[in-house]
């Protein structure tokens, strides 16, 4: 027996699975739960998706603004960076490469972020209203580094892609993609720590600030 | 990690005499306890969610074999390499082999308590590989050559002043006292390591059987970097970390982050399934998952099984009057507080951690706050019983109990002895009827007086009044 089989045998012994019936009943219970993936109980949801999302973003120390159309994103980004005296050079996901960045006074390149880049502009797979969270999928055109390495992360969130809960996010993912990508990341505000005397500090290894631009609604 | 739980009494006494530690622990109580209470108010069906979380964890344990097999199947189908380890030493060897095969020189690590169990850092460093802890708390204690004193706030025993001294000494930069500036300095120092490491090591908060996914819950962003930037990622996880579905993870997280830090959700939830895929611009070329027993099957087979439900939120220690007073190091191994008082004897042997199940008032604060309803005081009581059954208690205690048992089986002798003690006690109490020094109980009577008995036993009084 190899290590794996020894561990599994010890588990079966501990669980007292003497009989073949007990074994097959357990296998059936597992098959059933995995196939149907029933939801656990959720807290009450007596709120509207978009207002809740915005309110929760603020409570996570993200900032939020709303615009009507995707074409207005460069203007909104330029305004945000200007107001906060942040650098005007950014990197973005390829889905935004055709926007009129230069006209808004920005230098934006569609490429993964390096340690040198100060501002990263990403989209989302969807967003979670319950907690003010962004759901990001890894993929050829959705670089993880964009929302991770720069000090400022700007996320473009179509209002129609705001779902209620993480569970809704899983369903959307199953319906639209079938399988999980290499990585699913849920981002809830700027990175933070409270490791020194339990004092909350925003911005440690990940971004210092997260700005969410909700499009449409 | 070396087990020093046998020195609990000495270390607890030292901790109580350390004003810096007491200041640091005060912060924990103020922030964590009230933060948890506030954030749980948002869940009006909290009890229903806790009950479901308990049963989802129980389901995982009751079907552990099949869930692990499904996990392995699904993870391998996505290109992950799954390994199994029976002991901590095997974990260390497997990690080193993977590192050697990939010519790894530098490793970045996101926090792993299992890695603390196996002493992974020392093992890899001894083999000539640079290992960097990147969780700020873990980084602080790594630089200070210490062990974590809390499972989610590993450096909670350190004051800001102490961290400022440490950073000045290690970073060779002007001393900073503002916590924000110190944090920025740590980012600056650690960033180059993230960008140049060959391998990342993480633990796992959960393994998802449905999808073959390993997931971590973090706040700092170091976990994302560790799983994304280096060319090899190794996740190590105990067998008990498995959950059936993504839905199970989703609803249990509502309890986990609130119970841990009072956050409705932590900053980053990272679900990793397999290595980099075709076309991806980031992600590791190799993704290894090491599934570890290291004592867990023994606990599964014992009457302590409920302890394996633990989702590592730390609420039990945050609320424990003993932990709040002495901190984590006195417990002498990886897991402090009430869960440590159960897991440490279970994993390293009861005879190596004799004091821990007794280092509790059994006030049941831990049982009340546990999100998955582990009956921690009951489990500590079971361990106390085992100590007696296996004859592990110190000889004066065993002798006393033997003498008592002898007398208790002989009513006449019992009546005579208790009658004598009642009279001696009355005499010793003097006119104030208080005993100032208790023979054989000096520690007890140092700070309080024992009320003297009335001079007659209960049975004498009963006979008299009838």
């Amino acid at each position: 027996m190899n290590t794996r089989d020894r561990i599994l045998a010890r588990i079966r012994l501990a669980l007292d699975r003497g009989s073949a019936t007990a074994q097959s009943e357990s296998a059936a219970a597992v098959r059933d739960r995995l196939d149907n993936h029933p939801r656990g109980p959720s807290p009450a949801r007596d709120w509207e998706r978009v207002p809740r999302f915005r309110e929760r973003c603020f409570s996570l120390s993200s900032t939020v603004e709303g615009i009507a159309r995707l074409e207005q994103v460069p203007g909104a980004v330029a305004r945000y960076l200007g107001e906060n005296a942040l650098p005007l050079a950014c990197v973005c996901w390829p889905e935004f490469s055709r926007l009129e960045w230069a006209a808004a006074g920005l230098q934006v390149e569609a490429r993964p972020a390096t340690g040198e880049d100060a501002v990263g502009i990403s989209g989302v797979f969807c967003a979670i209203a319950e907690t003010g969270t962004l759901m990001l999928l890894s993929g050829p055109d959705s670089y993880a580094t964009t929302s991770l390495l720069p000090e400022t992360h700007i996320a473009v969130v179509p209002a129609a892609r705001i779902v209620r809960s993480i569970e809704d996010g899983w369903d959307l993912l199953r319906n639209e993609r079938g399988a999980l990508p290499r990585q699913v990341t849920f981002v809830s505000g700027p990175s933070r720590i409270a490791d020194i005397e339990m004092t909350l500090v925003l911005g440690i290894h990940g971004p210092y600030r997260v700005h969410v631009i909700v499009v449409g609604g | 990690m070396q087990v020093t739980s046998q020195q609990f009494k000495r270390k607890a006494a030292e901790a109580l005499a350390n004003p810096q530690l007491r200041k640091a622990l005060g912060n924990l109580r103020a922030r964590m306890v009230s933060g948890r209470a506030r954030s749980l108010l948002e869940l009006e069906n909290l009890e229903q969610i806790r009950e479901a979380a308990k049963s989802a964890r129980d389901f995982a344990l009751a079907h552990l074999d099949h869930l692990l097999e499904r996990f392995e199947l699904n993870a391998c189908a996505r290109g992950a390499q799954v390994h199994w380890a029976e002991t901590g030493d095997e974990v260390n060897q497997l990690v080193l082999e993977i590192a050697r095969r990939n010519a790894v020189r530098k490793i970045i690590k996101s926090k792993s308590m299992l890695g603390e169990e196996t002493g992974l850092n020392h093992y890899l460093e001894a083999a000539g590989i640079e290992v960097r802890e990147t969780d700020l708390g873990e980084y602080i204690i790594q630089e200070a050559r210490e062990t974590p004193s809390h499972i989610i706030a590993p450096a909670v025993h350190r004051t800001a002043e102490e961290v400022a001294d440490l950073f000045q000494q290690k970073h060779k930069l002007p001393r900073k006292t503002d916590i924000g500036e110190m944090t920025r300095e740590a980012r600056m120092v650690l960033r180059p390591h993230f960008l140049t490491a060959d391998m990342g090591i993480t633990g796992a908060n959960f393994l998802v059987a449905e999808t073959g996914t390993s997931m971590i819950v973090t706040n700092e962003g170091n976990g994302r970097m560790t799983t994304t930037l280096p060319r090899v990622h190794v996740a190590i996880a105990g067998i008990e970390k498995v959950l059936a579905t993504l839905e199970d993870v989703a609803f249990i997280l509502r309890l986990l982050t609130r119970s841990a830090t009072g956050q409705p959700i932590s900053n980053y939830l990272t679900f990793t399934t397999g290595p980099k895929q075709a076309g991806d611009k980031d992600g590791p070329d190799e993704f290894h998952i090491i599934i570890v027993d290291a004592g867990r099957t023994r606990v599964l087979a014992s009457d302590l099984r409920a302890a394996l439900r633990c989702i590592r939120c730390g609420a039990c220690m945050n609320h424990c009057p003993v932990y709040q007073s002495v901190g984590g190091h006195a417990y002498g191994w990886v897991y402090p507080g009430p869960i440590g008082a159960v897991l440490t004897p279970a994993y390293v042997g009861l005879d190596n951690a004799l004091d821990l199940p007794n280092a509790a008032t059994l006030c049941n604060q831990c049982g009340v706050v546990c999100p998955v309803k582990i009956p921690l005081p009951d489990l500590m009581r079971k361990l106390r019983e085992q100590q007696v059954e296996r004859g592990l208690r110190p000889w004066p205690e065993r002798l006393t109990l033997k003498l008592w048992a002898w007398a208790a089986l002989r009513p006449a002798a019992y009546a005579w002895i208790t009658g004598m003690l009642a009279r001696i006690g009355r005499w010793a109490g003097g006119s104030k009827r208080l005993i100032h020094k208790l023979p054989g109980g000096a520690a007890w009577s140092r700070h309080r007086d024992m009320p003297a008995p009335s001079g007659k036993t209960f049975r004498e009084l009963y006979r008299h009044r009838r």
Side-chain angles (χ1 to χ4, degrees):
Chain A
M1 259 207 285
N2 60 23
T3 307
R4 171 189 185 276
D5 296 340
R6 274 198 301 275
I7 293 175
L8 287 171
R10 274 206 299 277
I11 293 173
R12 290 189 175 116
L13 198 66
L15 297 174
D16 206 10
R17 291 270 183 66
S19 69
T21 329
Q23 268 302 91
S24 67
E25 275 173 11
S26 165
V30 165
R31 212 162 31 240
D32 186 53
R33 190 164 181 130
L34 265 53
D35 289 349
N36 297 311
H37 44 83
R39 289 188 180 196
S42 53
R45 302 232 170 85
D46 47 357
W47 34 259
E48 293 292 317
R49 276 183 311 118
V50 179
R52 165 80 175 204
F53 175 71
R54 295 177 61 125
E55 174 234 314
R56 282 295 152 145
C57 282
F58 282 120
S59 76
L60 294 168
S61 310
S62 299
T63 48
V64 194
E65 69 174 292
I67 56 172
R69 297 187 322 278
L70 192 63
E71 296 76 58
Q72 296 169 315
V73 167
V77 171
R79 205 164 45 242
Y80 169 77
L81 295 176
E83 279 166 9
N84 292 282
L86 293 166
L88 300 177
C90 317
V91 291
C92 74
W93 284 5
E95 65 179 281
F96 303 117
S97 60
R98 284 161 180 275
L99 293 176
E100 307 265 337
W101 298 107
L106 302 171
Q107 301 93 53
V108 177
E109 293 177 60
R111 59 166 171 80
T114 69
E116 310 299 314
D117 294 307
V119 183
I121 304 169
S122 82
V124 294
F125 171 69
C126 69
I128 314 295
E130 180 185 335
T131 46
T133 299
L134 312 170
M135 180 172 176
L136 308 174
L137 308 185
S138 65
D141 295 322
S142 49
Y143 324 127
T145 46
T146 311
S147 59
L148 185 56
L149 295 177
E151 290 190 1
T152 304
H153 171 208
I154 299 176
V156 179
V157 178
R161 300 292 290 182
I162 299 174
V163 300
R164 302 185 77 85
S165 62
I166 290 182
E167 286 90 333
D168 285 354
W170 292 139
D171 277 351
L172 199 62
L173 182 59
R174 288 191 185 103
N175 289 338
E176 293 186 357
R177 305 284 178 107
L180 267 66
R182 177 188 85 81
Q183 202 157 67
V184 181
T185 306
F186 294 89
V187 175
S188 303
S191 67
R192 69 191 63 205
I193 61 146
D195 270 334
I196 304 177
E197 288 195 357
M198 301 275 113
T199 302
L200 182 71
V201 178
L202 290 180
I204 165 71
H205 300 306
Y208 283 63
R209 52 193 86 77
V210 174
H211 183 61
V212 180
I213 302 178
V214 178
V215 183
Chain B
M1 193 199 283
Q2 207 188 345
V3 187
T4 57
S5 304
Q6 287 297 62
Q7 299 159 35
F8 179 83
K9 281 183 187 163
R10 183 177 61 75
K11 287 184 162 186
E14 283 170 12
L16 288 169
N18 179 346
Q20 297 277 52
L21 178 68
R22 301 189 62 77
K23 176 171 181 267
L25 289 170
N27 294 321
L28 179 90
R29 203 168 352 182
R31 306 266 170 170
M32 300 283 216
V33 171
S34 56
R36 171 191 168 275
R38 245 196 325 273
S39 71
L40 283 172
L41 291 175
E42 294 169 348
L43 306 177
E44 72 292 331
N45 54 345
L46 173 63
E47 275 315 300
Q48 191 196 0
I49 299 176
R50 283 178 77 197
E51 202 51 53
K54 169 176 180 275
S55 87
R57 292 294 297 140
D58 278 339
F59 182 91
L61 297 174
H63 305 286
L64 199 51
D65 50 344
H66 290 118
L67 287 168
L68 287 170
E69 284 174 337
R70 288 288 287 262
F71 173 83
E72 181 184 38
L73 196 71
N74 290 328
C76 291
R78 291 293 303 273
Q81 299 177 51
V82 176
H83 314 261
W84 300 71
E86 289 189 273
T87 62
D89 289 341
E90 284 180 27
V91 176
N92 295 346
Q93 286 157 18
L94 280 166
V95 175
L96 183 60
E97 277 168 30
I98 297 167
R100 288 250 163 89
R101 215 165 40 238
N102 288 283
V104 166
R105 279 172 309 177
K106 185 191 285 188
I107 293 175
I108 48 172
K109 227 166 133 256
S110 179
K111 198 159 79 69
S112 160
M113 297 316 286
L114 179 52
E116 299 290 340
E117 282 183 44
T118 71
L120 184 55
N121 289 3
H122 291 301
Y123 187 86
L124 293 169
E125 280 165 359
I129 298 174
E130 182 183 352
V131 184
R132 279 283 153 188
E133 290 288 353
T134 59
D135 170 279
L136 185 62
E138 286 283 342
Y139 171 71
I140 291 169
I141 60 167
Q142 186 187 30
E143 290 290 300
R145 296 266 146 208
E146 286 185 309
T147 56
S149 71
H150 189 287
I151 61 171
I152 58 165
V156 66
H157 57 284
R158 286 279 170 208
T159 60
E161 289 290 314
E162 291 172 315
V163 178
D165 292 342
L166 179 74
F167 278 9
Q168 182 188 25
Q169 182 201 341
K170 297 285 175 177
H171 297 165
K172 315 251 184 298
L173 290 166
R175 188 174 188 275
K176 301 181 181 58
T177 47
D178 177 76
I179 292 174
E181 283 176 26
M182 283 155 68
T183 304
R184 191 171 264 267
E185 182 176 303
R187 173 185 170 112
M188 200 184 71
V189 169
L190 280 168
R191 182 53 78 89
H193 294 298
F194 284 117
L195 297 172
T196 56
D198 309 295
M199 183 164 133
I201 299 176
T202 65
N205 285 85
F206 297 111
L207 303 174
V208 190
E210 178 194 356
T211 50
T213 302
S214 96
M215 76 86 55
I216 51 173
V217 178
T218 64
N219 274 324
E220 301 182 14
N222 62 321
R224 289 187 69 194
M225 301 219 196
T226 308
T227 59
T228 299
L229 301 177
R231 55 195 161 83
V232 183
H233 171 203
V234 180
I236 56 178
I239 52 170
E240 84 284 12
K241 293 285 179 179
V242 78
L243 272 177
T245 63
L246 294 170
E247 274 71 12
D248 283 348
V249 179
F251 92 88
I252 288 177
L253 283 172
R254 289 196 183 92
L255 293 178
L256 172 57
T257 58
R258 285 183 175 87
S259 300
T261 54
Q263 290 170 278
I265 190 167
S266 67
N267 268 76
Y268 302 111
L269 311 174
T270 308
F271 291 76
T272 307
T273 316
K276 181 196 268 184
Q277 293 175 13
D280 280 359
K281 298 285 191 299
D282 36 47
D285 301 322
E286 287 187 20
F287 177 36
H288 299 263
I289 302 164
I290 304 177
I291 300 175
V292 186
D293 183 342
R296 282 138 177 92
T297 49
R298 208 169 51 234
V299 181
L300 190 70
S302 76
D303 52 3
L304 304 174
R305 183 190 291 181
L308 295 179
R309 284 207 292 266
C310 177
I311 56 173
R312 303 287 190 269
C313 69
C316 61
M317 54 201 78
N318 296 341
H319 289 76
C320 174
V322 177
Y323 181 93
Q324 285 174 355
S325 305
V326 303
H329 284 151
Y331 290 82
W333 200 53
V334 180
Y335 305 100
I339 189 66
V342 174
L343 286 184
T344 307
Y347 287 170
V348 307
L350 189 52
D351 34 1
N352 289 316
L354 216 47
D355 286 328
L356 297 195
N358 309 311
T361 61
L362 301 185
C363 69
N364 197 30
Q365 274 269 50
C366 50
V368 169
V369 297
C370 176
V372 288
K373 298 192 169 186
I374 302 171
L376 287 158
D378 290 349
L379 302 185
M380 285 184 249
R381 234 178 257 120
K382 283 186 210 289
L383 285 163
R384 292 182 185 188
E385 283 167 18
Q386 277 182 35
Q387 293 183 352
V388 175
E389 283 159 11
R390 290 172 50 193
L392 294 173
R393 299 301 308 157
W395 70 264
E397 189 180 310
R398 275 184 288 148
L399 181 66
T400 310
L401 279 174
K402 273 217 178 87
L403 290 173
W404 180 83
W406 181 90
L409 288 169
R410 289 162 183 83
Y414 194 86
W416 186 81
I417 294 168
T418 49
M420 288 301 289
L421 286 175
R423 284 171 182 82
I424 295 168
R426 160 127 201 209
W427 168 79
S431 61
K432 288 199 171 151
R433 299 272 176 103
L434 288 172
I435 300 172
H436 302 304
K437 267 190 192 158
L438 205 59
W444 190 91
S445 56
R446 191 176 306 142
H447 302 292
R448 44 204 183 299
D449 293 332
M450 167 110 168
S454 70
K456 286 204 167 78
T457 66
F458 173 78
R459 293 205 294 181
E460 285 167 337
L461 291 170
Y462 185 72
R463 202 182 312 124
H464 181 70
R465 288 194 192 165
R466 203 168 52 160

